[in-house]
Amino acid sequence: TTRLCDNYPNPFNPSTQIQFSVDEEKHVRIDIYDLKGRKVDTVFEGVKGPGVHKFTYQPAGLASGSYVILMRTDSYRATQRMTLVK
């Protein structure tokens, strides 16, 4: 199953784990957006094989607040909210 999991910890400081799974080899893009819909960072863009994948996300220059993780493949789209507390 292709899926974006909840990041952990959340709220976080200074880093959080972003985990997702894909059921077959797919091009995956994971971006971070502020609540006004502006893209503020790209966590990953590339091809991943089947299985569970994790990234440690440590934002540089982001202010405290809530953000949205958006994961996209050719056939899947999901969001999760995360909160950075400094």
Side-chain angles (χ1 to χ4, degrees):
T1 303
T2 298
R3 140 179 139 92
L4 174 64
C5 302
D6 292 337
N7 63 300
Y8 181 82
N10 190 23
F12 71 96
N13 179 15
S15 65
T16 188
Q17 291 284 320
I18 297 174
Q19 180 175 308
F20 67 94
S21 62
V22 290
D23 53 359
E24 60 187 31
E25 188 172 280
K26 293 184 179 190
H27 183 268
V28 177
R29 182 173 178 120
I30 299 176
D31 294 311
I32 307 297
Y33 288 83
D34 66 16
L35 295 184
K36 293 182 179 177
R38 296 177 294 209
K39 185 171 79 169
V40 296
D41 210 349
T42 297
V43 176
F44 178 78
E45 182 175 16
V47 175
K48 283 292 186 184
V52 176
H53 307 280
K54 290 182 189 178
F55 292 94
T56 298
Y57 179 64
Q58 188 166 359
L62 290 184
S64 293
S66 292
Y67 295 89
V68 175
I69 305 166
L70 171 61
M71 175 183 164
R72 288 178 285 182
T73 72
D74 57 346
S75 60
Y76 178 82
R77 181 182 170 107
T79 60
Q80 293 288 340
R81 186 175 260 191
M82 67 178 184
T83 302
L84 172 60
V85 178
K86 289 189 173 182

